[in-house]
Every structure is written in structure tokens, then in C-alpha cells.
């Protein structure tokens, strides 16, 4: 009834591997977001999780994941927007 499961370390795992691992342990996952790109982690791999690895949880518990995006693109910022407040810059960017 009150069986506890140790949360595995899912860092750097792809979603396919995460799904297999969590299914073995009778746990579920939910993706919260993709965070800032981290070149040290593979694309679409787990960079953060809640609860943390090693914590004890009940079966069927959701593990919340943050993924590494596939990459990033460089965006050129017009010089007339540098050193201005967000309030000053937003109308220009929206247009």
C-alpha cells in the first residue's frame, strides 16, 4: 500500500529512454518547458527534474522534466534598441 520508489537520475537521457525507465518503475512524466540551451547536454535531453534523483515517491507519481532545446539561433538586435528599457523597446519589436 505505502510502497516507495526511488526517483532515478534522468539527466542527459532522451525522452525515449526516460519513458522506458519510468514505465519500469511505475512513474509518469510531464514536460514543464525547454530551458535555456546548454551545449553540454544532448538536444531534447533532460536537464532538470522534480523531484530530484534519490527522493522517495509513491507509485504513479509524476516526474516533472525540463528539456534542453535542440539549439538556439542568433538574433541581431538593432543598435537603436541597445541600452533602452523594455518599455521603450517593446513597441519597436512588435512592429
Amino acid at each position: 500500500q505505502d510502497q516507495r520508489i526511488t526517483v532515478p537520475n534522468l539527466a542527459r537521457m532522451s525522452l525515449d529512454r526516460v519513458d522506458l525507465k519510468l514505465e519500469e518503475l511505475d512513474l509518469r512524466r510531464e514536460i514543464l518547458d525547454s530551458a535555456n540551451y546548454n551545449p553540454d547536454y544532448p538536444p531534447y535531453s533532460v536537464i532538470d527534474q522534480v523531484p530530484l534523483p534519490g527522493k522517495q515517491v509513491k507509485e504513479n507519481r509524476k516526474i516533472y522534466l525540463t528539456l534542453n532545446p535542440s539549439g538556439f539561433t542568433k538574433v541581431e538586435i538593432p543598435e537603436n534598441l541597445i541600452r533602452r528599457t523594455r518599455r521603450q523597446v517593446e513597441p519597436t519589436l512588435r512592429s
Side-chain angles (χ1 to χ4, degrees), residues 48-82:
D48 193 26
Q49 70 183 70
V50 175
L52 295 173
K55 295 287 185 182
Q56 298 289 314
V57 295
K58 293 182 180 180
E59 64 184 43
N60 206 29
R61 170 74 152 76
K62 264 188 198 172
I63 308 299
Y64 297 92
L65 306 174
T66 304
L67 301 182
N68 194 30
S70 63
F72 64 93
T73 56
K74 292 188 177 187
V75 177
E76 187 174 330
I77 298 175
E79 286 193 34
N80 64 337
L81 301 182
I82 296 174

Side-chain angles (χ1 to χ4, degrees), residues 14-65:
S14 67
L15 281 180
D16 293 335
R17 287 183 56 208
V18 166
D19 287 341
L20 291 173
K21 186 71 172 174
L22 293 181
E23 188 175 325
E24 286 174 11
L25 298 171
D26 197 23
L27 297 171
R28 300 176 296 143
R29 71 162 165 88
E30 184 168 323
I31 298 171
L32 292 178
D33 199 3
S34 293
N36 295 331
Y37 178 70
N38 185 337
D40 297 333
Y41 284 75
Y44 303 113
S45 65
V46 175
I47 60 175
D48 193 26
Q49 70 183 70
V50 175
L52 295 173
K55 295 287 185 182
Q56 298 289 314
V57 295
K58 293 182 180 180
E59 64 184 43
N60 206 29
R61 170 74 152 76
K62 264 188 198 172
I63 308 299
Y64 297 92
L65 306 174

